[in-house]
């Protein structure tokens, strides 16, 4: 069975608030743990009215404290927004509180707009081009302290915190391969380079202390419900949110609208079709086929399921159907 995991942006539906979204996140994490998902990752985004996981390490602590076995991590921490030492201390603290359960995924995008990125970084003059050096510096803080070392992460030094490289281009694939780290590709919203990135990563992978062979995790949107029609309706919330974001109008997650896609201009339809092409929508049987086809076509070592669904109960049910589909595929195999 290919392991499946969860990527959660803690969506804030219209008419709700961040407090309720964070409660929903913990509830979904508990369901995911019961359903056999391997990881539960939270994503760092800023100045987004529809996403409640901006303080990612805090939310990770909230989820880890409310669960007991599932791995909890960042998908990811946007490293240009932070100093490597502070990230090491934060995740060293999480690893001390929840030993053997914390993952640290690192990305080089800001996770926001340029104006907000400036507000985040202030006078640090962070540079995305320094991302490889920052990753290596961060990895060093988790190594055992050496004699004479003046700066150390406390907590952090000597702790086992698996590091992942996240990406939506060839850059992250090459870096993950060079450092011998697992690689997570954002195919759920930027699938254009997915096949090339995975191939380059596997071809160039160099074994490391953390990982002996390449491991690729791919993002997949799943909108599952009792019928194909109901699932297509659920999908319209994410379609609306995506169009709003790309149009410079980010907001809370809209309620579903029947026939929304058909109302769009051809350019907007093309944008959705391309960006959200790694999406499975439908009944349990359709989702099983879709996930099987995605796994076979990509050769993914792990699939990270996500989906912005307006009603929390429908969101939980969608993840239940996805987990059931993968169990059925494993049984058939």
């Amino acid at each position: 069975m290919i392991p499946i995991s969860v990527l959660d942006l803690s969506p804030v539906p219209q008419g709700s608030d961040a407090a309720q979204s964070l409660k929903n996140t913990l509830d979904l994490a508990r369901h995911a743990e019961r359903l056999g998902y391997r990881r539960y990752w939270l994503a760092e985004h800023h100045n987004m009215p529809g996403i409640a996981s901006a303080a990612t390490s805090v939310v990770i602590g909230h989820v880890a404290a409310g669960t007991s076995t599932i791995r909890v991590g960042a998908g990811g921490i946007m490293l240009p927004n932070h100093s490597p030492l502070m990230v090491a201390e934060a995740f060293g603290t999480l690893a001390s509180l929840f030993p053997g359960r914390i993952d640290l995924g690192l990305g080089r995008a800001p996770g926001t707009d340029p104006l907000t990125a400036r507000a985040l970084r202030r006078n640090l003059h962070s540079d995305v081009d320094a991302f490889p050096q920052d990753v290596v510096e961060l990895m060093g803080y988790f190594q055992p302290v050496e004699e004479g070392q003046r700066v150390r992460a406390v907590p952090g030094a000597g702790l086992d915190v698996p590091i992942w490289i996240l990406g939506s281009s060839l850059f992250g694939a090459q870096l993950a391969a060079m450092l011998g780290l697992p690689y997570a590709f954002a195919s759920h919203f930027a699938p254009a380079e997915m096949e090339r990135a995975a191939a380059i990563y596997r071809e160039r992978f160099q074994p490391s202390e953390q990982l002996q062979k390449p491991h690729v995790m791919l993002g997949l949107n799943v909108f599952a419900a009792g019928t194909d029609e109901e699932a297509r309706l659920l999908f319209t919330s994410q379609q609306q949110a995506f169009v709003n974001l790309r149009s410079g109008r980010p907001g809370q997650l809209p309620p579903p609208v029947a026939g929304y896609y058909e109302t769009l201009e051809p350019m907007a339809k093309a944008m959705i079709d391309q960006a959200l092409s790694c999406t499975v929508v439908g009944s349990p049987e359709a989702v099983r086929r879709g996930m099987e086809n995605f796994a076979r076509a990509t050769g993914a070592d792990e699939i990270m399921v996500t989906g912005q669904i307006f009603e929390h109960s429908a969101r939980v049910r969608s993840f239940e159907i996805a987990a059931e589909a993968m169990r059925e595929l494993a049984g058939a195999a």
Side-chain angles (χ1 to χ4, degrees), residues 62-304:
H62 169 63
V63 170
T67 54
S68 57
T69 57
I70 195 169
R71 297 192 67 89
V72 188
I77 292 295
M78 300 297 103
L79 196 50
N81 297 339
H82 312 275
S83 75
L85 177 58
M86 291 194 69
V87 174
E89 290 172 340
F91 279 79
T93 300
L94 288 168
S96 298
L97 291 169
F98 312 104
R101 294 182 57 207
I102 301 299
D103 295 329
L104 173 52
L106 300 173
R108 68 177 185 134
T112 189
D113 59 90
L115 185 63
T116 306
R118 176 177 292 182
L120 284 166
R121 300 173 192 179
R122 309 290 273 183
N123 296 319
L124 295 177
H125 302 295
S126 296
D127 182 358
V128 294
D129 294 329
F131 180 67
Q133 292 89 340
D134 287 345
V135 171
V136 171
E137 179 183 344
L138 176 52
M139 293 171 65
Y141 288 126
F142 290 122
Q143 296 297 314
V145 174
E146 297 180 355
E147 185 177 351
Q149 183 175 334
R150 300 287 298 276
V151 179
R152 62 187 68 180
V154 183
L159 295 182
D160 178 21
V161 181
I163 291 178
W164 292 64
I165 299 297
L166 314 184
S168 58
S169 68
L170 306 184
F171 182 92
Q174 295 174 75
L175 179 61
M178 180 181 69
L179 296 177
L181 298 176
Y183 180 51
F185 190 87
S187 39
H188 59 291
F189 74 89
E193 298 280 9
M194 177 182 66
E195 293 181 4
R196 288 184 63 206
I200 287 174
Y201 168 71
R202 289 187 173 114
E203 290 167 4
R204 302 185 184 180
F205 181 83
Q206 301 178 27
S208 67
E209 289 184 9
Q210 179 176 328
L211 194 64
Q212 292 299 303
K213 61 180 182 178
H215 186 94
V216 178
M217 179 160 62
L218 301 178
L220 179 67
N221 299 295
V222 175
F223 296 85
T227 66
D228 291 344
E229 182 180 8
E230 183 183 355
R232 286 193 292 268
L233 180 61
L234 297 179
F235 185 28
T236 62
S237 290
Q238 182 150 335
Q239 290 174 329
Q240 293 175 75
F242 197 83
V243 169
N244 292 342
L245 178 62
R246 290 293 177 93
S247 304
R249 299 177 287 109
Q252 294 183 327
L253 184 67
V257 174
Y260 170 75
Y261 180 82
E262 288 71 25
T263 69
L264 295 174
E265 297 293 330
M267 186 174 296
K269 287 182 178 178
M271 176 182 65
I272 286 178
D273 291 344
Q274 191 282 322
L276 303 181
S277 62
C278 290
T279 299
V280 174
V281 182
S283 65
E285 174 58 25
V287 167
R288 187 194 65 77
R289 290 195 308 268
M291 295 186 74
E292 180 181 23
N293 291 339
F294 182 77
R296 286 184 173 176
T298 62
D301 299 300
E302 189 169 344
I303 295 173
M304 179 152 272

